Coordinates of all heavy atoms in Angstrom, one line a residue:
S1 N -21.6 0.2 1.8 CA -23.0 -0.2 1.9 C -23.8 0.6 2.8 O -25.1 0.6 2.8 CB -23.2 -1.7 2.2 OG -22.7 -1.9 3.6
K2 N -23.1 1.4 3.7 CA -23.8 2.2 4.7 C -24.2 3.6 4.1 O -24.9 4.4 4.7 CB -22.9 2.4 5.9 CG -22.6 1.2 6.6 CD -21.7 1.4 7.8 CE -21.3 0.1 8.6 NZ -22.5 -0.6 9.1
F3 N -23.8 3.9 2.9 CA -24.1 5.2 2.3 C -25.1 5.0 1.2 O -25.4 3.9 0.7 CB -22.8 5.7 1.6 CG -21.7 6.1 2.6 CD1 -20.8 5.1 3.1 CD2 -21.6 7.4 3.1 CE1 -19.8 5.5 4.0 CE2 -20.6 7.7 4.0 CZ -19.7 6.8 4.4
K4 N -25.8 6.1 0.9 CA -26.8 6.1 -0.2 C -26.2 5.9 -1.5 O -26.6 5.1 -2.3 CB -27.6 7.4 -0.1 CG -28.5 7.5 1.1 CD -29.4 8.8 1.0 CE -30.3 8.9 2.1 NZ -31.2 10.1 2.1
A5 N -25.1 6.7 -1.8 CA -24.4 6.5 -3.1 C -23.4 5.4 -2.9 O -22.2 5.6 -2.8 CB -23.8 7.8 -3.5
K6 N -23.8 4.2 -2.9 CA -23.0 3.0 -2.5 C -21.9 2.8 -3.5 O -20.7 2.6 -3.2 CB -23.8 1.8 -2.4 CG -24.9 1.8 -1.3 CD -25.8 0.6 -1.4 CE -26.8 0.6 -0.3 NZ -27.8 1.8 -0.5
R7 N -22.2 2.9 -4.8 CA -21.2 2.6 -5.9 C -20.1 3.7 -5.9 O -19.0 3.4 -6.0 CB -21.9 2.6 -7.2 CG -22.9 1.4 -7.4 CD -22.2 0.1 -7.6 NE -23.1 -1.0 -7.8 CZ -22.8 -2.2 -8.0 NH1 -21.5 -2.6 -8.0 NH2 -23.7 -3.1 -8.3
I8 N -20.6 4.9 -5.7 CA -19.6 6.0 -5.8 C -18.6 5.9 -4.6 O -17.4 6.0 -4.8 CB -20.3 7.4 -5.7 CG1 -21.2 7.5 -7.0 CG2 -19.3 8.5 -5.6 CD1 -22.0 8.8 -7.0
V9 N -19.2 5.7 -3.4 CA -18.3 5.5 -2.2 C -17.4 4.3 -2.4 O -16.2 4.4 -2.0 CB -19.2 5.4 -0.9 CG1 -18.3 5.1 0.3 CG2 -20.0 6.6 -0.7
Q10 N -17.9 3.2 -2.9 CA -17.1 2.0 -3.1 C -15.9 2.3 -4.0 O -14.8 1.9 -3.8 CB -18.0 0.9 -3.7 CG -17.2 -0.4 -3.9 CD -18.1 -1.5 -4.5 OE1 -19.3 -1.3 -4.5 NE2 -17.5 -2.6 -4.9
T11 N -16.2 3.0 -5.1 CA -15.2 3.4 -6.1 C -14.1 4.3 -5.5 O -12.9 4.1 -5.6 CB -15.8 4.0 -7.3 OG1 -16.8 3.1 -7.9 CG2 -14.7 4.3 -8.4
I12 N -14.6 5.3 -4.7 CA -13.7 6.3 -4.1 C -12.8 5.6 -3.1 O -11.6 5.8 -3.0 CB -14.5 7.4 -3.4 CG1 -15.2 8.3 -4.5 CG2 -13.6 8.3 -2.5 CD1 -16.1 9.3 -3.9
L13 N -13.4 4.7 -2.3 CA -12.6 4.0 -1.3 C -11.5 3.1 -1.9 O -10.4 3.0 -1.5 CB -13.5 3.1 -0.4 CG -14.4 3.9 0.6 CD1 -15.3 2.9 1.3 CD2 -13.5 4.6 1.6
T14 N -11.9 2.4 -3.0 CA -11.0 1.5 -3.7 C -9.9 2.4 -4.3 O -8.7 2.0 -4.3 CB -11.7 0.7 -4.8 OG1 -12.9 0.1 -4.2 CG2 -10.8 -0.3 -5.4
M15 N -10.2 3.5 -4.9 CA -9.2 4.4 -5.5 C -8.2 4.9 -4.4 O -7.0 4.9 -4.6 CB -9.8 5.6 -6.2 CG -10.5 5.2 -7.5 SD -11.1 6.7 -8.3 CE -11.7 6.0 -9.9
I16 N -8.7 5.3 -3.3 CA -7.9 5.8 -2.2 C -6.9 4.6 -1.7 O -5.8 4.9 -1.4 CB -8.7 6.2 -1.0 CG1 -9.5 7.5 -1.4 CG2 -7.9 6.5 0.3 CD1 -10.5 8.0 -0.3
L17 N -7.5 3.4 -1.7 CA -6.7 2.3 -1.2 C -5.5 2.0 -2.2 O -4.4 1.8 -1.8 CB -7.6 1.1 -1.2 CG -7.0 -0.2 -0.5 CD1 -6.6 0.1 1.0 CD2 -8.0 -1.3 -0.5
F18 N -5.8 2.1 -3.5 CA -4.8 1.9 -4.5 C -3.7 3.0 -4.5 O -2.5 2.8 -4.6 CB -5.4 1.8 -5.9 CG -5.8 0.5 -6.3 CD1 -7.0 0.0 -5.9 CD2 -5.0 -0.4 -7.0 CE1 -7.4 -1.3 -6.3 CE2 -5.3 -1.7 -7.4 CZ -6.6 -2.1 -7.0
L19 N -4.2 4.2 -4.2 CA -3.2 5.3 -4.1 C -2.3 5.1 -2.9 O -1.1 5.4 -2.9 CB -3.9 6.7 -4.0 CG -4.6 7.2 -5.3 CD1 -5.5 8.4 -5.0 CD2 -3.6 7.4 -6.4
L20 N -2.8 4.6 -1.8 CA -2.0 4.3 -0.6 C -1.0 3.2 -0.9 O 0.1 3.3 -0.5 CB -2.9 3.9 0.5 CG -3.8 5.0 1.2 CD1 -4.7 4.4 2.2 CD2 -2.8 6.0 1.9
I21 N -1.4 2.2 -1.7 CA -0.5 1.1 -2.0 C 0.6 1.7 -2.9 O 1.8 1.4 -2.6 CB -1.3 0.0 -2.8 CG1 -2.2 -0.7 -1.9 CG2 -0.3 -1.0 -3.4 CD1 -3.1 -1.7 -2.6
F22 N 0.3 2.5 -3.8 CA 1.4 3.1 -4.7 C 2.3 4.0 -3.8 O 3.5 4.0 -4.0 CB 0.8 3.9 -5.8 CG 0.3 3.1 -7.0 CD1 -1.0 3.0 -7.3 CD2 1.2 2.4 -7.7 CE1 -1.4 2.2 -8.4 CE2 0.8 1.6 -8.8 CZ -0.5 1.5 -9.1
F23 N 1.7 4.8 -2.9 CA 2.5 5.7 -2.1 C 3.4 4.9 -1.2 O 4.6 5.2 -1.0 CB 1.6 6.5 -1.2 CG 2.3 7.4 -0.2 CD1 2.8 8.6 -0.7 CD2 2.4 7.1 1.1 CE1 3.5 9.5 0.2 CE2 3.1 7.9 2.0 CZ 3.6 9.1 1.6
V24 N 2.9 3.8 -0.6 CA 3.8 3.0 0.3 C 4.9 2.3 -0.5 O 6.0 2.3 -0.1 CB 2.9 1.9 1.0 CG1 3.8 0.9 1.7 CG2 2.0 2.6 2.0
S25 N 4.5 1.9 -1.7 CA 5.5 1.2 -2.6 C 6.7 2.1 -3.0 O 7.8 1.6 -3.1 CB 4.9 0.6 -3.8 OG 4.4 1.6 -4.7
F26 N 6.4 3.4 -3.1 CA 7.5 4.3 -3.5 C 8.2 4.9 -2.3 O 9.2 5.7 -2.4 CB 6.9 5.5 -4.2 CG 6.5 5.2 -5.7 CD1 5.2 5.2 -6.1 CD2 7.5 4.8 -6.6 CE1 4.9 4.9 -7.4 CE2 7.3 4.5 -7.9 CZ 6.0 4.6 -8.3
N27 N 7.8 4.5 -1.1 CA 8.5 5.0 0.1 C 8.9 3.9 1.1 O 8.9 4.1 2.3 CB 7.5 6.0 0.9 CG 7.2 7.3 0.1 OD1 8.0 8.2 0.3 ND2 6.2 7.3 -0.6
T28 N 9.3 2.8 0.5 CA 9.8 1.7 1.3 C 11.3 1.4 1.1 O 11.8 0.4 1.5 CB 9.0 0.4 0.9 OG1 9.1 0.2 -0.5 CG2 7.6 0.5 1.4
N29 N 12.0 2.3 0.4 CA 13.4 2.1 0.1 C 14.2 2.0 1.3 O 15.1 1.1 1.4 CB 13.9 3.3 -0.8 CG 13.4 3.3 -2.2 OD1 12.9 2.2 -2.7 ND2 13.4 4.4 -2.8
Q30 N 14.0 2.8 2.3 CA 14.8 2.8 3.6 C 14.5 1.5 4.3 O 15.5 0.9 4.8 CB 14.4 4.0 4.4 CG 15.3 4.2 5.7 CD 16.7 4.5 5.3 OE1 17.0 5.2 4.3 NE2 17.7 3.9 6.0
F31 N 13.2 1.1 4.3 CA 12.9 -0.2 5.0 C 13.6 -1.4 4.4 O 14.2 -2.2 5.1 CB 11.4 -0.4 5.0 CG 10.9 -1.7 5.5 CD1 11.0 -2.1 6.8 CD2 10.5 -2.7 4.6 CE1 10.6 -3.3 7.2 CE2 10.1 -3.9 5.0 CZ 10.1 -4.3 6.3
I32 N 13.6 -1.4 3.0 CA 14.2 -2.5 2.3 C 15.7 -2.5 2.5 O 16.4 -3.5 2.7 CB 13.8 -2.5 0.8 CG1 12.3 -2.8 0.7 CG2 14.6 -3.5 0.0 CD1 11.8 -2.6 -0.7
T33 N 16.3 -1.3 2.5 CA 17.7 -1.2 2.6 C 18.2 -1.7 4.0 O 19.2 -2.4 4.1 CB 18.2 0.3 2.5 OG1 17.8 0.8 1.2 CG2 19.7 0.4 2.6
N34 N 17.5 -1.3 5.1 CA 17.8 -1.8 6.4 C 17.6 -3.3 6.5 O 18.4 -4.0 7.2 CB 16.9 -1.1 7.4 CG 17.2 0.4 7.6 OD1 18.3 0.8 7.3 ND2 16.2 1.1 8.0
L35 N 16.6 -3.8 5.8 CA 16.4 -5.3 5.9 C 17.5 -6.0 5.2 O 18.0 -7.0 5.7 CB 15.0 -5.6 5.2 CG 14.4 -7.0 5.4 CD1 14.1 -7.2 6.9 CD2 13.2 -7.1 4.6
I36 N 17.9 -5.5 4.0 CA 19.0 -6.1 3.3 C 20.3 -6.1 4.1 O 21.1 -7.1 4.1 CB 19.2 -5.5 1.9 CG1 18.0 -5.8 1.0 CG2 20.5 -5.9 1.2 CD1 18.0 -5.0 -0.3
N37 N 20.6 -5.0 4.7 CA 21.8 -4.8 5.5 C 21.9 -5.8 6.7 O 23.0 -6.1 7.2 CB 22.0 -3.4 6.0 CG 22.2 -2.4 4.8 OD1 22.7 -2.8 3.8 ND2 21.9 -1.2 5.0
N38 N 20.7 -6.2 7.2 CA 20.7 -7.0 8.4 C 20.3 -8.5 8.0 O 20.0 -9.2 8.9 CB 19.7 -6.5 9.4 CG 20.1 -5.1 10.0 OD1 21.1 -5.1 10.7 ND2 19.4 -4.1 9.5
A39 N 20.4 -8.8 6.8 CA 20.0 -10.2 6.4 C 21.2 -10.8 5.7 O 22.0 -10.1 5.1 CB 18.8 -10.2 5.4
T40 N 21.3 -12.1 5.8 CA 22.5 -12.8 5.2 C 22.2 -13.4 3.8 O 23.1 -13.8 3.1 CB 22.9 -14.0 6.1 OG1 21.8 -14.9 6.3 CG2 23.4 -13.5 7.5
S41 N 20.9 -13.4 3.5 CA 20.6 -13.9 2.1 C 19.2 -13.3 1.7 O 18.5 -12.8 2.5 CB 20.5 -15.4 2.2 OG 19.4 -15.8 3.0
V42 N 19.0 -13.4 0.4 CA 17.7 -13.0 -0.2 C 16.6 -13.8 0.5 O 15.5 -13.3 0.8 CB 17.7 -13.2 -1.7 CG1 16.3 -12.9 -2.3 CG2 18.7 -12.2 -2.3
N43 N 16.8 -15.1 0.7 CA 15.8 -16.0 1.2 C 15.4 -15.5 2.6 O 14.2 -15.5 3.0 CB 16.3 -17.4 1.3 CG 15.2 -18.4 1.8 OD1 14.1 -18.3 1.3 ND2 15.5 -19.2 2.7
E44 N 16.4 -15.1 3.4 CA 16.1 -14.6 4.8 C 15.3 -13.3 4.7 O 14.4 -13.1 5.5 CB 17.4 -14.3 5.5 CG 17.2 -14.0 7.0 CD 18.5 -13.7 7.7 OE1 19.6 -14.2 7.2 OE2 18.5 -13.0 8.7
I45 N 15.6 -12.5 3.7 CA 14.8 -11.2 3.6 C 13.4 -11.5 3.3 O 12.4 -11.0 4.0 CB 15.4 -10.4 2.4 CG1 16.8 -9.9 2.7 CG2 14.5 -9.1 2.1 CD1 17.5 -9.3 1.5

């Protein structure tokens, strides 16, 4: 809302946010592996 091209900026920011979500989701294998190794059950994870 602080920019003149409000809709364009809003769309770009949302797209960047979704790309970050996808990037994080594809790079969490190590985190999940460590979590599983240190947990006694799926519920604890």
Side-chain angles (χ1 to χ4, degrees):
S1 66
K2 298 181 182 295
F3 294 85
K4 289 184 178 180
K6 299 175 179 62
R7 295 286 187 180
I8 296 175
V9 174
Q10 182 181 347
T11 302
I12 291 173
L13 288 175
T14 309
M15 285 183 175
I16 291 173
L17 191 61
F18 272 86
L19 289 174
L20 286 174
I21 291 173
F22 281 115
F23 177 78
V24 171
S25 66
F26 282 117
N27 290 273
T28 56
N29 291 338
Q30 188 62 39
F31 169 74
I32 294 174
T33 302
N34 293 333
L35 194 61
I36 292 174
N37 291 335
N38 293 289
T40 57
S41 66
V42 173
N43 185 46
E44 186 180 338
I45 296 171

